[in-house]
């Protein structure tokens, strides 16, 4: 009879909670990300609404037990709609002193604190910067502290397997996961199945992890320390088929879906870079869909290959993070002047230069808009949630191919690694992507490679079609004929046409969705991954009677046609963004709106509490005049 995380007969009924925010933290070698992702998947299967936030150390091999090596995984699971991974923690599982020190300030007073007491030796405390053992003084008296010898108990549970001590200690994360499953009444069976599949070729490892998981649950059942457990009921969700998905996986699926719907082969050229590398990994497993992945020797080769694929009539995509997009800039300009479809995926991270490679930021907006020489306009889209990455990736491909223009897709580290339930769309619900290439008949009377349709898009001619030969490259072209041309009037006209082509895409941008009244004291305007924190904060302000509304921009170039009128209907505009005011600058310049900013670049997403405080502070400010 298998052990489950359900209460034994005669146990007190669990305490019902509407939502819980939980974080696992430890060294980067402690399996923290596996632990968190398993708890997330199990909670999704239990019907909870979920949002997660993995947090990776920036150092690849930081010294064990140091603050630089701390890895974390936070999730919020709920019986109602949620939009963020949570603010303050209800529970923290800390595998060592460094994990405790790095995360304790986020734990609520009275919150559950589980620590692996085996890792709190003098040397461990010194490496974490503790002068005294926090488990032995009064510094943790404000929390429900559980001192558990996780390492010792794991070794004891696995001693009959005769595995090396190092291999046994790698199973500690499943012991801790079993404890968390007991505490929140999670069913361990999905994790047991995952273990069996993941380590199918290593039966002893399967047995060891199964035993560790079972031992963690049994320990909580047996010890008198754990007197209370909790239950979070399933959330009410729209009927349909769901899967738990992170942003990079959703984005990869969006690219494949667009290729399938358009009848194009997908070519993805990329150079490995955090936090974009997972897209390359995901797409490399999609060869059965005709996907070609190319791990290039550098960023320039990656984008150049994608442009070549587009020239040959395929869906050319390149992916990177901010430093890589800087290297791609000249080639992106080539795609602009050659007027070829190209999707550039930028998973933004902390900078400048290498910066904070595993931390999130949204400070590449101005680079995406202006980070190329000369007048080099591109379209820019930005998903708002991990699941939204699918839809915006699909839309970026559709717009790029139908308008024959480069499109930048601005995601970020938080969206890339964060996860949420995704309602899988039906194929027929996806917009059509009808692509027409000129055939040999277009050569009758002479082919004009830069003749334009009503969208100002030029013909996307496939190489090898008789009579459609034309010049390609970075030298300026004559309008209509495409011949090399240095005439100043022609250059001016071509710059206007390339910009107008992007501007006309505004017809494809949906009306701005507004949460709240269409006018009032304050509009909170955001873009990208701040959506969840902004929506939660605005909901709280509205519940308190404040005249506050929320709008989120998903198309940043061109901006929505109705945005100016919307901004003008509010006394104040607050723009929270994880940069020093890039969208604020654009709003002020474009609409002459003196917007207030919430601008912090700490490598972390905003909490709803922080945004709510900014809302309150902004409402106390006098409304600025209008130009």
């Amino acid at each position: 009879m298998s052990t489950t995380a359900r209460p034994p007969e005669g146990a007190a009924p669990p305490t019902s909670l509407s939502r819980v925010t939980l974080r696992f933290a430890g060294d980067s070698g402690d399996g923290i990300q596996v632990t968190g992702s398993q708890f997330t998947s199990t909670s999704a299967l239990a019907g909870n609404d979920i949002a997660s936030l993995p947090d990776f150390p920036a150092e690849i091999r930081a010294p064990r037990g140091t603050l630089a090596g701390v890895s974390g995984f936070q999730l919020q699971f709920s019986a109602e709609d949620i939009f963020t991974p949570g603010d303050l923690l209800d529970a923290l599982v800390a595998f060592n002193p460094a994990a405790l020190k790095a995360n304790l300030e986020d734990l609520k007073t009275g919150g559950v604190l589980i620590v692996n007491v085996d890792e709190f030796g003098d040397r461990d405390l010194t490496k974490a910067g503790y002068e005294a053992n926090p488990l032995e003084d009064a510094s943790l008296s404000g929390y429900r502290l559980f001192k558990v010898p996780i390492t010792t108990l794991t070794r004891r549970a696995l001693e009959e397997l005769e595995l090396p001590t190092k291999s046994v200690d790698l199973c500690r994360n499943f012991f801790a996961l079993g404890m968390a499953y007991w505490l929140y009444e999670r069913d361990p069976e999905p994790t047991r199945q995952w273990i069996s599949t993941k380590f199918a070729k290593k039966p002893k490892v399967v047995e060891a992890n199964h035993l560790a998981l079972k031992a963690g649950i049994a320990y909580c059942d047996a010890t008198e320390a754990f007197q209370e457990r909790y239950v979070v009921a399933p959330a009410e969700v729209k009927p349909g088929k769901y899967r738990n998905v992170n942003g990079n996986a959703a984005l990869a699926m969006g690219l494949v879906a667009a290729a399938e719907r358009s009848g194009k082969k997908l070519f993805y050229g990329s150079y490995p870079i955090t936090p974009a590398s997972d897209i390359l990994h995901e797409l490399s497993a999609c060869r059965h869909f005709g996907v070609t992945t190319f791990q290039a020797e550098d960023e320039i080769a990656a984008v150049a290959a994608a442009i070549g694929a587009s020239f040959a009539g395929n869906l050319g995509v390149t992916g990177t993070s901010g430093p890589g997009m800087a290297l791609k800039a000249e080639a992106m300009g080539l795609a602009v002047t050659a007027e070829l479809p190209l999707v550039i995926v930028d998973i933004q991270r902390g900078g400048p230069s290498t910066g904070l490679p595993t931390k999130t930021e949204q400070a590449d907006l101005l680079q995406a808009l202006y980070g190329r020489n000369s007048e080099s306009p591109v379209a820019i889209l930005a998903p708002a949630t991990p699941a939204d990455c699918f839809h915006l990736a699909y839309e970026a491909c559709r717009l790029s191919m139908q308008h024959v223009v480069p499109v930048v897709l601005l995601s970020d580290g938080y969206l890339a690694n964060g996860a949420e339930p995704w309602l899988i769309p039906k194929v027929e619900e996806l917009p059509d992507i009808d692509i027409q290439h000129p055939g040999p008949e277009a050569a009758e009377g002479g082919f004009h490679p830069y003749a334009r349709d009503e969208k100002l898009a030029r013909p996307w001619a496939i190489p090898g079609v008789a009579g459609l030969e034309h010049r390609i490259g970075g030298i300026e072209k004559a309008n209509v004929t495409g011949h090399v041309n240095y005439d100043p009037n022609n250059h001016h006209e071509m710059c206007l046409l390339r910009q107008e082509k992007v501007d006309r895409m505004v017809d494809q941008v949906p009306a701005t969705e507004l949460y709240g009244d269409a006018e009032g004291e304050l509009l909170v305007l955001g873009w990208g991954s701040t959506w969840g924190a902004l929506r939660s904060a605005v909901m709280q302000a509205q519940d308190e009677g404040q005249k506050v509304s929320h709008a989120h921009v998903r198309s940043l170039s061109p901006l929505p046609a109705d945005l100016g009128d919307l901004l003008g209907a509010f006394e104040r505009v607050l723009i929270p963004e994880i940069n020093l005011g890039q969208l604020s600058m654009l709003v002020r310049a474009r609409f002459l709106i003196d917007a207030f900013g919430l601008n912090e670049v700490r490598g972390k997403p905003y909490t709803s509490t922080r945004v709510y405080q900014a809302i309150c502070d902004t409402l106390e400010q006098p409304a600025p005049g209008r130009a």
Side-chain angles (χ1 to χ4, degrees), residues 9-127:
E9 285 188 36
T15 301
S16 181
L17 301 175
S18 61
R19 61 180 66 186
V20 170
T21 300
L22 167 66
R23 184 184 297 169
F24 298 94
D27 193 80
S28 59
D30 285 333
I32 297 300
Q33 302 305 319
V34 169
T35 308
S37 62
Q38 282 302 302
F39 197 102
T40 300
S41 298
T42 299
S43 297
L45 289 171
N48 297 130
D49 195 9
I50 56 170
S52 68
L53 175 60
D55 186 21
F56 305 93
E59 298 291 337
I60 296 175
R61 293 182 179 175
R64 183 172 178 81
T66 64
L67 293 173
V70 173
S71 175
F73 192 107
Q74 177 174 323
L75 73 147
Q76 183 176 196
F77 55 105
S78 172
E80 52 199 33
D81 286 345
I82 55 173
F83 309 111
T84 74
D87 290 359
L88 292 178
L89 307 175
D90 297 295
L92 170 64
V93 180
F95 278 67
N96 59 29
L100 177 65
K101 189 169 190 178
N103 294 280
L104 185 62
E105 67 178 1
D106 295 330
L107 182 62
K108 292 177 181 176
T109 301
V112 172
L113 175 59
I114 299 174
V115 297
N116 180 12
V117 69
D118 288 330
E119 296 293 318
F120 278 72
D122 291 341
R123 188 164 179 266
D124 303 306
L125 294 166
T126 299
K127 286 193 290 185

Side-chain angles (χ1 to χ4, degrees), residues 252-323:
M253 286 188 283
L255 297 177
V256 174
E260 286 290 298
R261 289 284 279 172
S262 63
K264 293 293 174 187
K265 299 293 186 182
L266 171 61
F267 177 93
Y268 185 79
S270 182
Y271 179 77
I273 183 170
T274 302
S277 298
D278 285 344
I279 302 172
L280 181 61
H281 303 158
E282 293 281 347
L283 290 175
S284 65
C286 296
R287 295 178 183 174
H288 54 294
F289 287 113
V291 175
T292 298
T293 51
F294 171 51
Q295 182 173 313
E297 65 269 29
D298 56 39
E299 297 282 4
I300 300 171
V303 64
I307 292 172
S310 288
F311 176 63
N314 303 286
L315 172 53
V317 184
T318 187
T320 187
S321 188

Side-chain angles (χ1 to χ4, degrees), residues 220-232:
C220 293
D221 267 337
T223 183
E224 295 181 357
F226 289 86
Q227 296 293 324
E228 189 173 15
R229 56 199 299 163
Y230 310 94
V231 63
V232 178

Side-chain angles (χ1 to χ4, degrees), residues 170-189:
L170 290 176
C171 301
R172 292 176 301 183
N173 62 323
F174 284 104
F175 185 99
L177 182 61
M179 295 175 65
Y181 280 172
W182 184 94
L183 192 62
Y184 294 107
E185 291 214 339
R186 306 285 92 173
D187 184 357
E189 187 56 32

